Amino acid sequence: MRLQVFGLMLASSLLMAADAPKDAVKKEYDKFEGTWKMESFTMDGKPSPIEDFADFRMTLKGENFTTVAAGEKSAGTYKIDPNKSPKTIDITFTSGQHDGLTMLGVYELDGDTYKVCLPTGGGKERPKELASKPGSGLVLEVFKRVKP
């Protein structure tokens, strides 16, 4: 009888351990929810004037996103893996000028600041760090959450 109880306890704890990574991902998605504005944009190590992005807004809900900039709208989905180092994100556009494009990136989410590094033009190689150096072909974007 004790062996059966131990077996049930072991099976139960293994199932709970398997759910832990899923729970971590769900909690991370929850942290993304809201509307974000561009704080900085650096391409190939060169910062762009933030005024170029004054009207840019991105809204994240669940695994979906929408963006609005200069009257143009786009939408898509994103998948994250907060268990990797650095954390990874795959962004897929389902409408707008980048429809069908998937971008592989790395990110950092700290409270109301979200940083993401992506290859320009949707390159298929994921960045290794959150940095955009001259000639890297990488974009580093920093967003701040818009307070309701």
Side-chain angles (χ1 to χ4, degrees), residues 37-133:
K37 67 177 183 168
M38 184 81 67
E39 173 126 314
S40 69
F41 183 94
T42 305
M43 182 185 303
D44 274 332
K46 296 177 186 149
S48 294
I50 196 58
E51 296 78 27
D52 294 350
F53 303 96
D55 65 343
F56 179 91
R57 292 294 180 268
M58 174 175 60
T59 302
L60 304 169
K61 183 157 179 66
E63 296 180 20
N64 300 298
F65 72 87
T66 58
T67 64
V68 178
E72 291 187 33
K73 295 180 182 181
S74 63
T77 61
Y78 68 105
K79 293 187 181 354
I80 57 171
D81 189 344
N83 300 310
K84 291 191 176 173
S85 182
K87 296 176 180 182
T88 63
I89 186 166
D90 298 353
I91 301 168
T92 302
F93 289 86
T94 57
S95 71
Q97 74 179 90
H98 299 297
D99 187 15
L101 178 68
T102 296
M103 303 174 89
L104 306 178
V106 295
Y107 77 93
E108 177 181 288
L109 182 59
D110 184 16
D112 291 335
T113 301
Y114 163 49
K115 298 177 184 177
V116 63
C117 185
L118 302 160
T120 58
K124 294 298 176 190
E125 193 165 324
R126 189 182 307 277
K128 306 281 188 255
E129 62 182 342
L130 280 163
S132 174
K133 298 174 184 168

